[in-house]
Amino acid sequence: MHSTKEGYRLVKLASGVHSVHSLAHRETFHPVIGPVAEAEALYVKQLHLPERMATHTGEFVIWDVGLGAAANVLTVLKATRAATCPLRIISFDHTIAPLQFALDHATDLGYFTGYESAVDDFLKHQRATFTDGSRTVNWELHLGDFPTFVTQTLANTAGKPPAPHAILFDAFSPAKNPAMWTQPLFANLFRLLDPQRPCALPTYSRSTMLRVSLLLADFYVGAGHATGEKEETTIAANSLDLISEPLDKTWLKRAQNSTSAEPMWEPSYRQAPLAPATWEKLQQHPQFK
């Protein structure tokens, strides 16, 4: 275990690989199986990114919500390097400190190989354009509060970023970072999607509260791939075709009986059963018709 300035330290996981630990949040990025294994299971394979990009024409857009130490982005880049379509990645975070720390420990972390100069450029300019295989990658950073960005983007008619084909959603846990898990955030995020552009959003949580929040935001929601530490995660999408195991009426009954299913309507963590009005709305979702 290495200590460091900036409030981060390098930790060795049970799997033998290294990851970054945030002292302020008291959370380790990609705990248990490690950064690359989690990114591959949760995002690359589940979103079928290599296959989708192989047949895609025009620019493929990924929103990376929770840049952290960039393991998700760099794992996606390596896994899709054979693709020829241009790739635009828009990363969101309130700080680049964990990425700077991770780059300083790139040898231990292992997933930076081949992308060190691109990351260095990205850190210096908050954007980087580079050739990766036979494609062009445009990687840019929105530094600041993501819920505020989403609200402001909805209010502005001009200057909107391109709607995503995939969202890598990797915020700190609801107990530590409730503002990133409210129902209004997911509702606003859904409104930024292009109805003509199928888009899926996987995330590591399988909580009933999260799934209800996503359903009430008009997403279709399904059980997501196991990641090693979790036997199930969650995937949401604006198209049912992107979900292989949609939640069914059996899950709906479990949600009705859960003591922690009511969405967080405000950025304050708490647990509560479904309110009667929420239950009524949930049953009306087209997924359960």
Side-chain angles (χ1 to χ4, degrees):
M1 190 178 289
H2 307 265
S3 63
T4 181
K5 60 184 193 311
E6 306 287 351
Y8 299 93
R9 70 179 180 218
L10 206 59
V11 293
K12 193 169 188 177
L13 306 176
S15 61
V17 302
H18 287 89
S19 191
V20 175
H21 178 83
S22 166
L23 298 172
H25 288 89
R26 299 194 299 281
E27 288 200 12
T28 299
F29 300 176
H30 320 280
V32 188
I33 61 170
V36 173
E38 184 176 306
E40 284 175 345
L42 193 56
Y43 303 119
V44 174
K45 291 175 183 172
Q46 181 161 231
L47 289 169
H48 307 288
L49 291 178
E51 299 86 348
R52 285 176 71 192
M53 286 189 206
T55 58
H56 188 77
T57 52
E59 187 177 65
F60 194 92
V61 181
I62 294 175
W63 284 18
D64 166 48
V65 182
L67 167 69
N72 295 329
V73 168
L74 298 181
T75 302
V76 164
L77 285 172
K78 282 181 187 170
T80 61
R81 202 158 187 262
T84 55
C85 65
L87 175 61
R88 180 177 298 275
I89 300 170
I90 306 174
S91 288
F92 300 88
D93 215 317
H94 68 281
T95 175
I96 55 171
L99 179 54
Q100 184 65 68
F101 170 75
L103 184 60
D104 291 343
H105 295 83
T107 304
D108 284 316
L109 288 165
Y111 58 79
F112 284 88
T113 308
Y115 293 100
E116 295 91 344
S117 64
V119 172
D120 191 50
D121 209 26
F122 179 77
L123 282 166
K124 283 176 184 163
H125 307 290
Q126 299 190 2
R127 63 174 57 245
T129 300
F130 54 98
T131 302
D132 186 40
S134 56
R135 68 180 168 185
T136 300
V137 176
N138 282 290
W139 183 17
E140 61 194 76
L141 175 67
H142 279 267
L143 198 59
D145 179 69
F146 183 68
T148 301
F149 164 82
V150 170
T151 306
Q152 290 177 344
T153 303
L154 276 174
N156 293 335
T157 49
K160 287 186 178 169
H165 297 90
I167 299 172
L168 320 180
F169 196 88
D170 195 12
F172 279 126
S173 67
K176 300 281 173 67
N177 194 6
M180 289 294 292
W181 302 89
T182 67
Q183 194 281 338
L185 172 64
F186 290 117
N188 286 338
L189 185 54
F190 185 86
R191 289 167 63 199
L192 288 179
L193 303 183
D194 179 348
Q196 305 305 313
R197 178 171 285 190
C199 176
L201 176 160
T203 191
Y204 60 82
S205 173
R206 59 170 294 179
S207 80
T208 305
M209 185 195 298
L210 165 69
R211 291 173 171 185
V212 172
S213 299
L214 289 163
L215 286 161
L216 293 186
D218 289 333
F219 284 96
Y220 294 101
V221 181
H225 284 196
T227 61
E229 82 227 56
K230 295 173 185 279
E231 70 223 19
E232 203 176 277
T233 54
T234 297
I235 184 166
N238 63 351
S239 167
L240 201 51
D241 293 343
L242 292 176
I243 296 177
S244 56
E245 290 181 63
L247 302 177
D248 57 17
K249 289 185 177 178
T250 306
W251 175 86
L252 197 58
K253 191 67 183 169
R254 289 206 307 273
Q256 186 186 22
N257 296 326
S258 171
T259 57
S260 180
E262 181 68 13
M264 287 188 292
W265 300 98
E266 296 176 344
S268 177
Y269 184 68
R270 56 97 188 99
Q271 295 177 294
L274 287 175
T278 307
W279 170 241
E280 287 302 316
K281 281 184 193 164
L282 202 52
Q283 293 176 87
Q284 300 307 312
H285 195 288
Q287 185 167 324
F288 304 117
K289 294 292 188 196

